[in-house]
Amino acid sequence: SKHATLSPRIPSKISFRERMSSKGGKVAAEPFTYGKNQKAVRLIVQDGKGKQSVAEIAYYGAHIMTFKDVESSGKETPFMWMSSKAVLDGTKAIRGGVPVIFPQFNAFGPMKSHGFARISVWSLVGITSDLPGLSITATFRLTPNELSKEMWGADKDFVYDYKVTLKANAVTSAGGSARSVLEIESTITNTG
C-alpha cells in the first residue's frame, strides 16, 4: 500500500526508515522539546537529491512554529518562523508561525482574545505518510478541557482534528523552481 500509518505514540525517533525505491525519497517524524520542556514534533520530507522540507508543530496550541527548506548543502530557506518575542514556556500563546484560532477571533466575543485552542495542549493522535507522494501528516486533536469549559461552557462537546501535511518540492504552477508545500486541514465536530 502507498499509505503507511506510523504509531500515534511516536517512539523517541522515527528515522528515515521508509524509502521510495525509485527516487530515494524519505520521510520522518521526530519528537523534540523546546523552551521549558514543551513537546513538539518535527516532520521531515527528503527528496532523492537530499533537499529536505521541515515543519515543526508544538503540542501547545497545535502551533506550526517552523516551515523551511534545507538544501543538501545546509542552506536554509525559511517560509515561516516564530517571533523573537515568542514566549516558549506554555504560559502564553506562541507568537509567530501559524496559530489555531478557535472558537472566536480576536476579542469579538466573551472569551480571551482568539479563544482557547491556541493556549491548550493538544494530543498528537497520528502520523501518516504517503511515500510515493513524498508527504507526511501529523494529526492533532483537541477535545473539551478545563480551559474550554471555563471559557466556552461545560455544555460544549466537540472534537477538533487539525492535520498538518508536509509535501516535498512541488513544482509551481508557473513552472518555477520546486518548493515545499504545507497543507492544513481543520475538522471540528459537534459531539454534543
Side-chain angles (χ1 to χ4, degrees), residues 56-79:
E56 296 176 342
I57 307 105
Y59 287 42
Y60 185 72
H63 194 107
I64 301 170
M65 301 185 299
T66 304
F67 172 38
K68 63 185 175 182
D69 276 350
V70 182
E71 301 292 334
S72 57
S73 66
K75 179 185 175 211
E76 294 186 6
T77 304
F79 301 116

Side-chain angles (χ1 to χ4, degrees), residues 80-146:
M80 65 182 64
W81 52 90
M82 303 218 304
S83 167
S84 60
K85 297 178 182 179
V87 176
L88 302 176
D89 63 4
T91 62
K92 290 184 169 187
I94 297 172
R95 187 172 177 172
V98 180
V100 177
I101 308 300
F102 177 77
Q104 79 177 32
F105 182 75
N106 204 331
F108 300 119
M111 60 186 75
K112 290 180 183 178
S113 185
H114 300 310
F116 54 80
R118 70 184 194 139
I119 55 174
S120 292
V121 176
W122 294 55
S123 298
L124 178 62
V125 296
I127 299 285
T128 55
S129 62
D130 175 356
L131 212 40
L134 280 181
S135 70
I136 190 165
T137 301
T139 302
F140 289 85
R141 178 170 290 159
L142 183 64
T143 55
N145 57 40
E146 291 302 315

